[in-house]
Amino acid sequence: MAMVVASSNIIHFLPASSDPPYELLRTHPSLALLSKCKSINHFKQIHSQFIKFGLHNTQFALSKLVEFCAVSPYGSLSYALSIFNSIHNPNHVIYNMMIRGYSLSSSPNLAINCYSGMLFIGLEPNSYTFPFLLKSCTKLSTANAGKQVHGQVFKFGLENDVYVHTSLINMYAQHGNLDDARMVFDKSNFRDAVSFTALITGYISRGYVDNARELFDTIPVRDVVSWNAMISGYAQIGQFDKALSLFQEMKKAKVTPDVSTLLSVLSSCAHTGGIETGNWVRSWIEEHGHASNLRLGNAMIDMYAKCGDLSMARNLFDGIQEKDLVSWNVMIGGYTHASNFRDALEIFRLMQINNVAPNDVTFLNVIPACAHLGTLDLGKWIHACIDKHYHDFPNETLWTSLINMYAKCGNIEAAKQVFSGMETKSLASWNVMISGLAMHGDASRAIELFSQMTKEGFRPDEITYVGVLSACCHGGLVNLGREFFISMMKDYNISPQLQHYGCMIDLLGKAGLFDEAMALIEQMEMEPDGAIWGSILGACRIHKNLELGEYAFKNLREVEPDNPGAYVLLSNIYAGFGKWDDVARIRTFLNDKGMKKVPGSTSIEVDSIVHEFLVSDRTHPRSDEIYRMLDEVDRLLEMAGHVPDTSEVYYDVDEEWKEDVLCQHSEKLAIAFGLISTKPGTTLRIVKNLRVCGNCHSATKMISKIFNREIIARDRNRFHHFKDGYCSCRDYW
């Protein structure tokens, strides 16, 4: 018997041949400290207490030390091994704990070595040994070790143990040995829900969903784990409708869902827009007291955001007291997904205020918002943060997103630098760089990059050719555009899609080649969309082709009946021919229908703050200064010989008012603000939501020369680089 000595109300255990009574050990104060341990340093202090009171001489206490180090997230497997090696005769429990620890580690093969050591000293494995040993085998590259362990299972007569049996099925299934998994399943004397689920999961992981469903339907009694395996399986392979349908079956069967069920269902709702089911899940969560579950809260935010209910998503987000990084990411991603880019950046700002460190997912959601809003300063800050903390991050998508951001924010040189600095480039990287150059009107460099890409062994795809054809369109390169369009089909067997046809038809239309453009429309395998008819209508305005313009308008109206822009374009064509009755008819129709042209707006970023202006806008705090600068700009333009062209402004506005309206276009207000807010020589970058008008284009060219500023303007279609009185588009846009 062990000798127990009491001193100062603390029990000391002296060396003995066997452990003291279990109840004495279990209630020892030092053992109680383990349940509260949150760090390895704290654990070492507890370990010293074990030694002080002689607990290190008991197998039970040692097993608890090994368990903490091997299994706890606060432990250390290497420390567990040092304790294990100090034990003279480890028992089953200690060996099993070490095997379990290895099964959770990045070195699962060491579990096999530990098992061999257990056999070597004469200890026979039990039903607790094999599940963790087989879990380790599951992590290995092949099932060879698992098959040898299977032989050991037979040797020690444990093939009918429920946990061992399920672990064998799971091991074979995860390695893709589904025939072996099914054989173990079929030869068993019993089949519980767990073993069914293990095989179902195996079938799903290998894409055999029909086999999984067939097996699922044969389960005598389905528990929640079985339902989860099938529902999550459908969700994992993208069959979200089937996942939701099966969830409805689960509800009818009156099986209570758990957190895993609800996470799969919410994910499926997010992908299908199934907000009604999502509402039911939210009500169930609140009713059953799971509202504080952070994983469910984050999943609900994601679901509502992707289903379009951003208000509810934001309410749920604001209601979370202890947000984690996922909470912030799903809210930022939700806003970005819904094109609410300003709100996305606002959440990112709050995230910074709350000292939450972003990760690559955060950046992948924030960078597109910077790109769309043209917030170059914030984009630069993010780039610097990535360089500092994530420079070696193996995520090509992150660097590709930065290239896209710089290109869309008007800094094509920075985009080139990021692209050149990528050690390994993906096809997406090449595509984004080619498209960026095309947007900036650098057709020759875009085409040169395409040639370099193919020489390096990359095979262009549909997106590549959209970029190349877009470059030809912006550069007016008709012959090259034809060649690329033919090569796409002939050399790479890529069938033209709407975007490819759209680029070619736009290219031909701008060149005035209407017969060829219409012939291309006739040979399309799909119906032309609004963008195609809109490009024809726009080209007819440029080349004053009334008959074709009316035909294009008729087709555009059928495709997009509520598009006021189509009516405005036709009205401008009529105005160009002096057909004022037709102009009046269109104006009356628009007024009667309550259809209004999308208001032009222009934004400019100054000192990391985005300022947005509408036509004749006087809401800005510095409005008086802006209009004084605008008057100065107009005075200098007049002195330089600039005469506004009022021909495209509606006929029922008198000439003097027409000129005033033109002078107060949103882009001129943004430029005026930029001139008073930045140092001389600073490049101004503006973003407009519509196509830049001819008057503002000609005025901006002269402003760039008068004030010695480079002005980079992004409109709905492309970039214009104004410098020294010239524009990069060469007046072709």
Side-chain angles (χ1 to χ4, degrees):
M1 294 292 290
M3 184 177 292
V4 182
V5 179
S7 175
S8 302
N9 297 321
I10 298 293
I11 301 173
H12 295 257
F13 299 98
L14 303 180
S17 58
S18 62
D19 281 5
Y22 168 73
E23 197 60 34
L24 283 174
L25 285 169
R26 188 181 65 82
T27 57
H28 194 278
S30 295
L31 274 168
L33 292 174
L34 273 178
S35 63
K36 301 175 183 178
C37 185
K38 300 293 183 182
S39 71
I40 191 65
N41 288 332
H42 185 206
F43 170 81
K44 289 177 181 178
Q45 295 175 11
I46 297 171
H47 189 189
S48 67
Q49 291 287 310
F50 274 50
I51 296 171
K52 178 180 179 180
F53 298 117
L55 290 172
H56 67 295
N57 294 311
T58 68
Q59 295 270 326
F60 174 79
L62 286 169
S63 71
K64 290 299 180 183
L65 290 173
V66 171
E67 179 182 14
F68 178 88
C69 288
V71 178
S72 168
Y74 307 106
S76 165
L77 192 56
S78 61
Y79 200 94
L81 182 61
S82 67
I83 297 172
F84 176 79
N85 289 335
S86 70
I87 302 172
H88 182 58
N89 285 310
N91 60 17
H92 284 90
V93 175
I94 295 172
Y95 264 104
N96 288 346
M97 206 57 67
M98 284 301 299
I99 291 171
R100 182 182 176 188
Y102 285 128
S103 75
L104 298 170
S105 76
S106 58
S107 303
N109 56 301
L110 295 179
I112 309 294
N113 297 342
C114 190
Y115 174 72
S116 299
M118 180 181 181
L119 296 179
F120 182 77
I121 66 169
L123 283 177
E124 287 192 3
N126 58 23
S127 59
Y128 294 100
T129 309
F130 287 114
F132 297 116
L133 189 58
L134 288 165
K135 183 176 182 179
S136 298
C137 294
T138 300
K139 290 185 173 183
L140 301 178
S141 58
T142 69
N144 292 336
K147 289 180 178 179
Q148 294 179 33
V149 172
H150 191 177
Q152 293 285 301
V153 169
F154 273 109
K155 178 179 178 180
F156 292 104
L158 293 170
E159 65 272 14
N160 287 323
D161 179 89
V162 59
Y163 297 111
V164 176
H165 172 252
T166 303
S167 299
L168 277 169
I169 295 172
N170 186 62
M171 184 274 295
Y172 281 122
Q174 292 302 312
H175 277 296
N177 296 25
L178 295 175
D179 290 341
D180 290 331
R182 188 62 190 252
M183 180 185 67
V184 173
F185 178 82
D186 290 339
K187 287 188 175 181
S188 172
N189 294 329
F190 64 91
R191 297 173 189 167
D192 65 348
V194 179
S195 57
F196 270 98
T197 302
L199 189 53
I200 287 168
T201 304
Y203 278 133
I204 290 171
S205 67
R206 295 291 161 172
Y208 299 116
V209 185
D210 292 339
N211 298 71
R213 183 57 196 261
E214 182 182 345
L215 189 63
F216 174 81
D217 290 337
T218 64
I219 300 177
V221 179
R222 301 172 192 156
D223 62 3
V224 67
V225 178
S226 308
W227 287 96
N228 286 350
M230 203 64 233
I231 291 171
S232 67
Y234 279 134
Q236 287 166 18
I237 63 171
Q239 295 187 12
F240 303 108
D241 288 328
K242 288 187 176 180
L244 293 177
S245 176
L246 191 61
F247 177 62
Q248 297 301 329
E249 290 184 38
M250 180 180 177
K251 285 167 59 181
K252 290 179 182 177
K254 300 189 183 304
V255 177
T256 302
D258 62 11
V259 171
S260 296
T261 318
L262 300 175
L263 289 172
S264 295
V265 171
L266 287 169
S267 173
S268 299
C269 291
H271 284 88
T272 61
I275 198 165
E276 290 184 7
T277 302
N279 285 333
W280 183 93
V281 171
R282 180 171 62 86
S283 298
W284 191 93
I285 288 170
E286 292 172 352
E287 182 182 336
H288 289 78
H290 294 292
S292 61
N293 186 297
L294 189 56
R295 292 179 68 200
L296 288 175
N298 292 338
M300 285 195 292
I301 294 168
D302 183 58
M303 183 276 296
Y304 277 112
K306 288 179 178 174
C307 287
D309 192 344
L310 287 167
S311 177
M312 176 58 75
R314 183 61 184 268
N315 287 339
L316 290 169
F317 174 80
D318 291 340
I320 298 176
Q321 297 298 317
E322 297 292 332
K323 301 176 180 68
D324 64 1
L325 180 57
V326 176
S327 311
W328 293 96
N329 283 347
V330 293
M331 195 66 249
I332 294 169
Y335 278 132
T336 300
H337 178 78
S339 299
N340 285 32
F341 303 114
R342 294 188 186 281
D343 290 323
L345 294 188
E346 173 62 17
I347 294 295
F348 181 66
R349 187 184 68 83
L350 290 174
M351 181 180 176
Q352 299 301 109
I353 292 172
N354 282 272
N355 296 316
V356 179
N359 65 359
D360 59 310
V361 176
T362 318
F363 293 135
L364 285 171
N365 285 320
V366 173
I367 293 172
C370 296
H372 282 274
L373 294 175
T375 53
L376 181 60
D377 288 348
L378 179 57
K380 285 180 177 178
W381 181 88
I382 291 171
H383 186 187
C385 185
I386 293 170
D387 263 342
K388 184 177 180 180
H389 301 289
Y390 302 92
H391 184 73
D392 297 322
F393 196 86
N395 190 337
E396 290 175 2
T397 307
L398 196 59
W399 302 109
T400 301
S401 189
L402 278 174
I403 296 168
N404 184 57
M405 180 275 296
Y406 275 123
K408 287 185 175 177
C409 286
N411 196 337
I412 193 66
E413 292 304 318
K416 291 177 185 177
Q417 289 175 11
V418 175
F419 178 76
S420 299
M422 291 180 68
E423 293 183 7
T424 56
K425 299 177 178 68
S426 64
L427 179 59
S429 309
W430 290 93
N431 287 347
V432 166
M433 194 67 243
I434 290 170
S435 295
L437 290 164
M439 277 193 300
H440 284 264
D442 194 348
S444 60
R445 178 63 183 136
I447 292 166
E448 180 185 326
L449 201 64
F450 172 80
S451 177
Q452 182 184 341
M453 183 191 90
T454 55
K455 285 178 182 177
E456 292 192 18
F458 286 89
R459 184 180 178 86
D461 63 3
E462 294 89 346
I463 298 171
T464 317
Y465 272 102
V466 170
V468 173
L469 291 173
S470 177
C472 293
C473 184
H474 291 317
L477 307 175
V478 177
N479 291 332
L480 264 177
R482 291 191 187 107
E483 290 176 17
F484 280 121
F485 191 71
I486 293 169
S487 171
M488 176 180 70
M489 297 179 284
K490 182 180 177 182
D491 298 333
Y492 295 100
N493 197 31
I494 297 173
S495 299
Q497 303 300 311
L498 268 174
Q499 284 183 295
H500 304 112
Y501 281 115
C503 289
M504 280 303 299
I505 291 164
D506 193 22
L507 172 62
L508 295 168
K510 284 178 180 175
L513 301 173
F514 291 114
D515 290 342
E516 189 176 346
M518 293 306 296
L520 197 57
I521 290 176
E522 290 295 323
Q523 75 179 51
M524 286 172 56
E525 295 181 359
M526 66 286 291
E527 289 296 319
D529 62 359
I532 287 176
W533 288 119
S535 67
I536 291 290
L537 187 57
C540 289
R541 181 189 61 81
I542 295 170
H543 294 283
K544 300 187 183 302
N545 188 327
L546 177 59
E547 183 180 354
L548 182 58
E550 290 178 325
Y551 177 75
F553 169 78
K554 178 184 176 183
N555 285 280
L556 178 54
R557 186 177 59 184
E558 290 179 3
V559 178
E560 297 178 356
D562 298 323
N563 180 0
Y567 293 88
V568 173
L569 277 173
L570 182 62
S571 175
N572 287 337
I573 294 174
Y574 282 139
F577 280 90
K579 291 180 170 290
W580 305 118
D581 289 342
D582 290 317
V583 173
R585 174 173 52 83
I586 290 175
R587 290 291 301 279
T588 301
F589 176 83
L590 287 173
N591 288 333
D592 291 345
K593 291 290 185 180
M595 296 170 67
K596 294 183 179 180
K597 181 183 177 182
V598 176
S601 68
T602 304
S603 61
I604 181 171
E605 184 184 27
V606 176
D607 295 332
S608 301
I609 299 173
V610 177
H611 303 260
E612 187 172 15
F613 298 89
L614 301 176
V615 64
S616 304
D617 198 338
R618 291 186 179 271
T619 59
H620 196 278
R622 299 181 67 184
S623 184
D624 290 343
E625 296 175 74
I626 292 169
Y627 274 88
R628 281 197 295 271
M629 173 53 76
L630 197 58
D631 289 340
E632 177 65 8
V633 169
D634 291 336
R635 185 183 70 81
L636 294 172
L637 283 173
E638 186 177 357
M639 288 178 60
H642 174 67
V643 179
D645 178 7
T646 61
S647 63
E648 288 189 1
V649 185
Y650 287 132
Y651 80 99
D652 56 351
V653 179
D654 62 51
E655 288 296 316
E656 184 179 353
W657 176 240
K658 288 180 187 180
E659 190 168 327
D660 283 346
V661 170
L662 291 172
C663 291
Q664 296 175 16
H665 273 192
S666 61
E667 47 263 66
K668 290 189 71 177
L669 291 171
I671 291 170
F673 175 71
L675 291 172
I676 66 172
S677 305
T678 59
K679 295 178 181 179
T682 303
T683 298
L684 302 181
R685 290 181 171 85
I686 62 174
V687 178
K688 184 171 183 180
N689 65 330
L690 302 175
R691 178 183 180 274
V692 65
C693 74
N695 274 288
C696 287
H697 190 271
S698 61
T700 306
K701 284 195 298 183
M702 298 188 74
I703 292 170
S704 71
K705 184 176 182 179
I706 292 168
F707 290 89
N708 192 27
R709 298 281 194 123
E710 182 177 4
I711 302 172
I712 300 174
R714 185 180 98 191
D715 70 5
R716 184 175 58 191
N717 300 319
R718 60 169 297 158
F719 277 88
H720 300 263
H721 292 249
F722 300 95
K723 190 175 183 180
D724 299 327
Y726 296 94
C727 181
S728 59
C729 74
R730 304 186 309 277
D731 297 338
Y732 185 89
W733 82 97

mmCIF file of all heavy atoms in Angstrom, residues 194-221:
data_model
loop_
_atom_site.group_PDB
_atom_site.id
_atom_site.type_symbol
_atom_site.label_atom_id
_atom_site.label_comp_id
_atom_site.label_asym_id
_atom_site.label_seq_id
_atom_site.Cartn_x
_atom_site.Cartn_y
_atom_site.Cartn_z
ATOM 1 N N VAL A 194 -23.248 6.155 -36.126
ATOM 2 C CA VAL A 194 -21.895 6.696 -36.271
ATOM 3 C C VAL A 194 -21.160 6.028 -37.428
ATOM 4 O O VAL A 194 -20.494 6.682 -38.232
ATOM 5 C CB VAL A 194 -21.099 6.534 -34.958
ATOM 6 C CG1 VAL A 194 -19.692 7.080 -35.114
ATOM 7 C CG2 VAL A 194 -21.816 7.234 -33.818
ATOM 8 N N SER A 195 -21.275 4.692 -37.525
ATOM 9 C CA SER A 195 -20.591 3.987 -38.614
ATOM 10 C C SER A 195 -21.218 4.334 -39.962
ATOM 11 O O SER A 195 -20.518 4.474 -40.971
ATOM 12 C CB SER A 195 -20.618 2.470 -38.374
ATOM 13 O OG SER A 195 -21.942 2.001 -38.230
ATOM 14 N N PHE A 196 -22.544 4.474 -40.009
ATOM 15 C CA PHE A 196 -23.203 4.934 -41.231
ATOM 16 C C PHE A 196 -22.640 6.298 -41.645
ATOM 17 O O PHE A 196 -22.301 6.531 -42.803
ATOM 18 C CB PHE A 196 -24.720 5.069 -41.005
ATOM 19 C CG PHE A 196 -25.506 3.832 -41.300
ATOM 20 C CD1 PHE A 196 -25.879 2.970 -40.278
ATOM 21 C CD2 PHE A 196 -25.884 3.529 -42.597
ATOM 22 C CE1 PHE A 196 -26.618 1.830 -40.543
ATOM 23 C CE2 PHE A 196 -26.627 2.396 -42.869
ATOM 24 C CZ PHE A 196 -26.996 1.538 -41.845
ATOM 25 N N THR A 197 -22.540 7.189 -40.663
ATOM 26 C CA THR A 197 -22.087 8.548 -40.946
ATOM 27 C C THR A 197 -20.658 8.570 -41.456
ATOM 28 O O THR A 197 -20.317 9.341 -42.362
ATOM 29 C CB THR A 197 -22.204 9.407 -39.670
ATOM 30 O OG1 THR A 197 -23.555 9.395 -39.226
ATOM 31 C CG2 THR A 197 -21.774 10.844 -39.937
ATOM 32 N N ALA A 198 -19.794 7.722 -40.879
ATOM 33 C CA ALA A 198 -18.397 7.671 -41.319
ATOM 34 C C ALA A 198 -18.306 7.303 -42.795
ATOM 35 O O ALA A 198 -17.542 7.899 -43.563
ATOM 36 C CB ALA A 198 -17.621 6.672 -40.465
ATOM 37 N N LEU A 199 -19.100 6.314 -43.215
ATOM 38 C CA LEU A 199 -19.074 5.879 -44.618
ATOM 39 C C LEU A 199 -19.713 6.924 -45.529
ATOM 40 O O LEU A 199 -19.233 7.190 -46.638
ATOM 41 C CB LEU A 199 -19.794 4.535 -44.750
ATOM 42 C CG LEU A 199 -19.662 3.826 -46.116
ATOM 43 C CD1 LEU A 199 -18.195 3.684 -46.521
ATOM 44 C CD2 LEU A 199 -20.324 2.453 -46.063
ATOM 45 N N ILE A 200 -20.785 7.539 -45.064
ATOM 46 C CA ILE A 200 -21.438 8.603 -45.843
ATOM 47 C C ILE A 200 -20.464 9.749 -46.101
ATOM 48 O O ILE A 200 -20.335 10.246 -47.221
ATOM 49 C CB ILE A 200 -22.687 9.121 -45.101
ATOM 50 C CG1 ILE A 200 -23.805 8.088 -45.169
ATOM 51 C CG2 ILE A 200 -23.166 10.457 -45.691
ATOM 52 C CD1 ILE A 200 -24.964 8.385 -44.239
ATOM 53 N N THR A 201 -19.740 10.142 -45.047
ATOM 54 C CA THR A 201 -18.756 11.220 -45.182
ATOM 55 C C THR A 201 -17.679 10.848 -46.186
ATOM 56 O O THR A 201 -17.226 11.686 -46.981
ATOM 57 C CB THR A 201 -18.119 11.535 -43.817
ATOM 58 O OG1 THR A 201 -19.149 11.853 -42.880
ATOM 59 C CG2 THR A 201 -17.145 12.694 -43.920
ATOM 60 N N GLY A 202 -17.260 9.591 -46.158
ATOM 61 C CA GLY A 202 -16.262 9.114 -47.118
ATOM 62 C C GLY A 202 -16.758 9.201 -48.547
ATOM 63 O O GLY A 202 -16.042 9.661 -49.447
ATOM 64 N N TYR A 203 -17.983 8.764 -48.775
ATOM 65 C CA TYR A 203 -18.563 8.846 -50.125
ATOM 66 C C TYR A 203 -18.626 10.304 -50.604
ATOM 67 O O TYR A 203 -18.276 10.622 -51.741
ATOM 68 C CB TYR A 203 -19.971 8.249 -50.125
ATOM 69 C CG TYR A 203 -20.022 6.738 -50.243
ATOM 70 C CD1 TYR A 203 -20.833 5.975 -49.393
ATOM 71 C CD2 TYR A 203 -19.284 6.071 -51.203
ATOM 72 C CE1 TYR A 203 -20.896 4.593 -49.494
ATOM 73 C CE2 TYR A 203 -19.340 4.686 -51.318
ATOM 74 C CZ TYR A 203 -20.139 3.954 -50.465
ATOM 75 O OH TYR A 203 -20.193 2.596 -50.577
ATOM 76 N N ILE A 204 -19.066 11.184 -49.713
ATOM 77 C CA ILE A 204 -19.208 12.596 -50.096
ATOM 78 C C ILE A 204 -17.856 13.212 -50.422
ATOM 79 O O ILE A 204 -17.710 13.949 -51.401
ATOM 80 C CB ILE A 204 -19.902 13.384 -48.969
ATOM 81 C CG1 ILE A 204 -21.378 12.972 -48.883
ATOM 82 C CG2 ILE A 204 -19.805 14.895 -49.209
ATOM 83 C CD1 ILE A 204 -22.097 13.515 -47.675
ATOM 84 N N SER A 205 -16.835 12.895 -49.604
ATOM 85 C CA SER A 205 -15.508 13.484 -49.816
ATOM 86 C C SER A 205 -14.929 13.094 -51.169
ATOM 87 O O SER A 205 -14.077 13.797 -51.712
ATOM 88 C CB SER A 205 -14.547 13.074 -48.695
ATOM 89 O OG SER A 205 -14.272 11.685 -48.751
ATOM 90 N N ARG A 206 -15.372 11.972 -51.706
ATOM 91 C CA ARG A 206 -14.885 11.516 -53.016
ATOM 92 C C ARG A 206 -15.857 11.828 -54.142
ATOM 93 O O ARG A 206 -15.666 11.400 -55.282
ATOM 94 C CB ARG A 206 -14.614 10.002 -52.972
ATOM 95 C CG ARG A 206 -13.481 9.633 -52.034
ATOM 96 C CD ARG A 206 -12.153 10.112 -52.551
ATOM 97 N NE ARG A 206 -11.152 10.176 -51.488
ATOM 98 C CZ ARG A 206 -9.867 10.415 -51.693
ATOM 99 N NH1 ARG A 206 -9.442 10.631 -52.922
ATOM 100 N NH2 ARG A 206 -9.026 10.492 -50.687
ATOM 101 N N GLY A 207 -16.913 12.548 -53.817
ATOM 102 C CA GLY A 207 -17.845 12.976 -54.854
ATOM 103 C C GLY A 207 -18.956 11.992 -55.164
ATOM 104 O O GLY A 207 -19.739 12.225 -56.088
ATOM 105 N N TYR A 208 -19.070 10.907 -54.401
ATOM 106 C CA TYR A 208 -20.118 9.914 -54.646
ATOM 107 C C TYR A 208 -21.358 10.262 -53.818
ATOM 108 O O TYR A 208 -21.725 9.559 -52.872
ATOM 109 C CB TYR A 208 -19.617 8.507 -54.312
ATOM 110 C CG TYR A 208 -18.427 8.067 -55.132
ATOM 111 C CD1 TYR A 208 -17.195 7.806 -54.535
ATOM 112 C CD2 TYR A 208 -18.521 7.936 -56.520
ATOM 113 C CE1 TYR A 208 -16.093 7.410 -55.282
ATOM 114 C CE2 TYR A 208 -17.421 7.540 -57.280
ATOM 115 C CZ TYR A 208 -16.218 7.282 -56.653
ATOM 116 O OH TYR A 208 -15.135 6.904 -57.402
ATOM 117 N N VAL A 209 -21.989 11.342 -54.191
ATOM 118 C CA VAL A 209 -23.101 11.856 -53.392
ATOM 119 C C VAL A 209 -24.310 10.932 -53.473
ATOM 120 O O VAL A 209 -25.020 10.733 -52.485
ATOM 121 C CB VAL A 209 -23.488 13.278 -53.858
ATOM 122 C CG1 VAL A 209 -24.561 13.858 -52.958
ATOM 123 C CG2 VAL A 209 -22.268 14.177 -53.848
ATOM 124 N N ASP A 210 -24.552 10.363 -54.650
ATOM 125 C CA ASP A 210 -25.696 9.459 -54.798
ATOM 126 C C ASP A 210 -25.538 8.230 -53.913
ATOM 127 O O ASP A 210 -26.508 7.769 -53.297
ATOM 128 C CB ASP A 210 -25.855 9.046 -56.266
ATOM 129 C CG ASP A 210 -26.274 10.205 -57.152
ATOM 130 O OD1 ASP A 210 -26.814 11.193 -56.613
ATOM 131 O OD2 ASP A 210 -26.049 10.135 -58.375
ATOM 132 N N ASN A 211 -24.307 7.681 -53.848
ATOM 133 C CA ASN A 211 -24.056 6.536 -52.965
ATOM 134 C C ASN A 211 -24.277 6.931 -51.506
ATOM 135 O O ASN A 211 -24.830 6.151 -50.717
ATOM 136 C CB ASN A 211 -22.613 6.043 -53.133
ATOM 137 C CG ASN A 211 -22.315 5.565 -54.539
ATOM 138 O OD1 ASN A 211 -22.241 6.373 -55.450
ATOM 139 N ND2 ASN A 211 -22.130 4.264 -54.719
ATOM 140 N N ALA A 212 -23.835 8.135 -51.173
ATOM 141 C CA ALA A 212 -24.013 8.615 -49.797
ATOM 142 C C ALA A 212 -25.494 8.727 -49.459
ATOM 143 O O ALA A 212 -25.932 8.308 -48.382
ATOM 144 C CB ALA A 212 -23.317 9.969 -49.632
ATOM 145 N N ARG A 213 -26.283 9.294 -50.397
ATOM 146 C CA ARG A 213 -27.714 9.465 -50.128
ATOM 147 C C ARG A 213 -28.420 8.113 -50.036
ATOM 148 O O ARG A 213 -29.305 7.912 -49.192
ATOM 149 C CB ARG A 213 -28.361 10.327 -51.219
ATOM 150 C CG ARG A 213 -29.840 10.621 -50.973
ATOM 151 C CD ARG A 213 -30.022 11.310 -49.628
ATOM 152 N NE ARG A 213 -31.380 11.293 -49.151
ATOM 153 C CZ ARG A 213 -32.234 12.315 -49.274
ATOM 154 N NH1 ARG A 213 -31.859 13.439 -49.856
ATOM 155 N NH2 ARG A 213 -33.453 12.234 -48.790
ATOM 156 N N GLU A 214 -28.002 7.195 -50.891
ATOM 157 C CA GLU A 214 -28.599 5.844 -50.854
ATOM 158 C C GLU A 214 -28.335 5.187 -49.504
ATOM 159 O O GLU A 214 -29.225 4.572 -48.911
ATOM 160 C CB GLU A 214 -27.988 5.007 -51.980
ATOM 161 C CG GLU A 214 -28.552 3.599 -52.076
ATOM 162 C CD GLU A 214 -27.892 2.790 -53.183
ATOM 163 O OE1 GLU A 214 -27.223 3.392 -54.044
ATOM 164 O OE2 GLU A 214 -28.042 1.558 -53.173
ATOM 165 N N LEU A 215 -27.110 5.330 -48.995
ATOM 166 C CA LEU A 215 -26.762 4.756 -47.696
ATOM 167 C C LEU A 215 -27.501 5.481 -46.579
ATOM 168 O O LEU A 215 -27.991 4.858 -45.632
ATOM 169 C CB LEU A 215 -25.245 4.854 -47.489
ATOM 170 C CG LEU A 215 -24.669 4.120 -46.281
ATOM 171 C CD1 LEU A 215 -24.883 2.609 -46.399
ATOM 172 C CD2 LEU A 215 -23.174 4.419 -46.139
ATOM 173 N N PHE A 216 -27.585 6.800 -46.695
ATOM 174 C CA PHE A 216 -28.280 7.608 -45.689
ATOM 175 C C PHE A 216 -29.730 7.161 -45.542
ATOM 176 O O PHE A 216 -30.255 7.070 -44.430
ATOM 177 C CB PHE A 216 -28.210 9.085 -46.092
ATOM 178 C CG PHE A 216 -29.004 10.000 -45.205
ATOM 179 C CD1 PHE A 216 -28.497 10.423 -43.989
ATOM 180 C CD2 PHE A 216 -30.266 10.444 -45.587
ATOM 181 C CE1 PHE A 216 -29.232 11.276 -43.171
ATOM 182 C CE2 PHE A 216 -31.005 11.288 -44.779
ATOM 183 C CZ PHE A 216 -30.482 11.708 -43.558
ATOM 184 N N ASP A 217 -30.376 6.869 -46.668
ATOM 185 C CA ASP A 217 -31.785 6.473 -46.643
ATOM 186 C C ASP A 217 -32.014 5.112 -45.989
ATOM 187 O O ASP A 217 -33.146 4.769 -45.647
ATOM 188 C CB ASP A 217 -32.350 6.460 -48.070
ATOM 189 C CG ASP A 217 -32.490 7.864 -48.643
ATOM 190 O OD1 ASP A 217 -32.570 8.818 -47.852
ATOM 191 O OD2 ASP A 217 -32.491 8.004 -49.883
ATOM 192 N N THR A 218 -30.927 4.323 -45.811
ATOM 193 C CA THR A 218 -31.076 2.988 -45.203
ATOM 194 C C THR A 218 -30.795 2.986 -43.703
ATOM 195 O O THR A 218 -30.921 1.947 -43.056
ATOM 196 C CB THR A 218 -30.133 1.976 -45.881
ATOM 197 O OG1 THR A 218 -28.767 2.361 -45.633
ATOM 198 C CG2 THR A 218 -30.383 1.909 -47.378
ATOM 199 N N ILE A 219 -30.400 4.135 -43.144
ATOM 200 C CA ILE A 219 -30.096 4.178 -41.707
ATOM 201 C C ILE A 219 -31.384 3.935 -40.916
ATOM 202 O O ILE A 219 -32.371 4.660 -41.098
ATOM 203 C CB ILE A 219 -29.501 5.544 -41.308
ATOM 204 C CG1 ILE A 219 -28.208 5.814 -42.078
ATOM 205 C CG2 ILE A 219 -29.223 5.597 -39.805
ATOM 206 C CD1 ILE A 219 -27.600 7.174 -41.797
ATOM 207 N N PRO A 220 -31.372 2.934 -40.055
ATOM 208 C CA PRO A 220 -32.603 2.629 -39.294
ATOM 209 C C PRO A 220 -33.052 3.787 -38.413
ATOM 210 O O PRO A 220 -34.218 4.174 -38.411
ATOM 211 C CB PRO A 220 -32.198 1.410 -38.441
ATOM 212 C CG PRO A 220 -30.981 0.859 -39.100
ATOM 213 C CD PRO A 220 -30.275 2.005 -39.740
ATOM 214 N N VAL A 221 -32.114 4.331 -37.646
ATOM 215 C CA VAL A 221 -32.422 5.463 -36.773
ATOM 216 C C VAL A 221 -31.372 6.541 -37.031
ATOM 217 O O VAL A 221 -30.196 6.358 -36.740
ATOM 218 C CB VAL A 221 -32.398 5.061 -35.280
ATOM 219 C CG1 VAL A 221 -32.711 6.276 -34.410
ATOM 220 C CG2 VAL A 221 -33.395 3.943 -35.013
#
